[in-house]
């Protein structure tokens, strides 16, 4: 059996003053920025597992483009996997909530990743 393990880190859930879920980098409060920093630290730990060949891939799940812009500059191993929510993509989740561009919008994510040679 050839078993390969891939690890996806779920995006932190940051909120604004009215408790709407927003990108952690938008309307940055110390609490939201701390969540994004902790998420980045977690990713850095997973990078060490990847270096030791204990896992086969690293990725993220349910993130905002704004957060990826900040995050991707701080990671050593670029994400190879993205898991998105089809329902959110079809419904235009970020636009419906009025809080920026959810990563499932696709084109903007593609541009961010190309800008960073991912």
């Amino acid at each position: 059996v050839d078993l390969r393990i891939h690890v996806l880190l779920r995006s932190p859930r940051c909120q604004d003053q009215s408790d709407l879920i927003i990108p952690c980098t938008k309307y940055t409060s110390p609490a939201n920025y701390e969540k994004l920093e902790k998420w980045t630290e977690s990713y850095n730990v997973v990078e060490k597992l990847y270096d030791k060949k204990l896992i086969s891939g690293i990725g993220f799940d349910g993130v905002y483009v704004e957060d990826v812009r900040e995050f991707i500059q701080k990671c050593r191993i670029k994400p190879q996997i993205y898991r998105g929510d089809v329902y959110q993509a079809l419904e235009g989740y970020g636009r419906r909530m009025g809080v920026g561009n959810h990563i499932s919008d696709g084109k903007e994510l593609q541009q961010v990743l190309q800008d960073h040679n991912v």
Side-chain angles (χ1 to χ4, degrees), residues 8-25:
L8 299 176
L9 276 81
R10 178 82 175 146
S11 170
R13 293 289 172 241
C14 296
Q15 297 167 316
D16 67 6
Q17 299 84 354
S18 60
D19 286 334
L20 281 176
I21 295 174
I22 60 170
C24 292
T25 53

Side-chain angles (χ1 to χ4, degrees), residues 72-86:
I72 204 147
Q73 297 174 35
K74 297 177 182 179
C75 61
R76 188 173 42 82
I77 299 170
K78 303 301 181 204
Q80 297 109 7
I81 305 166
Y82 165 70
R83 181 197 165 272
D85 188 329
V86 173

Side-chain angles (χ1 to χ4, degrees), residues 15-107:
Q15 297 167 316
D16 67 6
Q17 299 84 354
S18 60
D19 286 334
L20 281 176
I21 295 174
I22 60 170
C24 292
T25 53
K26 210 168 206 186
Y27 312 112
T28 304
S29 72
N32 283 348
Y33 190 74
E34 183 178 335
K35 287 179 184 180
L36 188 58
E37 286 297 309
K38 295 278 186 199
W39 187 53
T40 303
E41 288 173 20
S42 297
Y43 191 91
N44 296 147
V45 169
V46 174
E47 286 177 320
K48 292 175 185 175
L49 297 174
Y50 183 83
D51 287 339
K52 293 179 180 181
K53 302 196 185 314
L54 297 172
I55 60 172
S56 298
I58 307 172
F60 44 74
D61 175 19
V63 294
Y64 287 95
V65 171
E66 292 91 338
D67 292 343
V68 171
R69 279 195 190 102
E70 174 91 12
F71 164 77
I72 204 147
Q73 297 174 35
K74 297 177 182 179
C75 61
R76 188 173 42 82
I77 299 170
K78 303 301 181 204
Q80 297 109 7
I81 305 166
Y82 165 70
R83 181 197 165 272
D85 188 329
V86 173
Y87 175 77
Q88 290 176 352
L90 293 174
E91 293 296 318
Y93 177 79
R95 289 185 301 275
R96 187 180 73 231
M97 297 296 288
V99 291
N101 297 317
H102 193 270
I103 205 78
S104 59
D105 292 340
K107 291 179 184 176

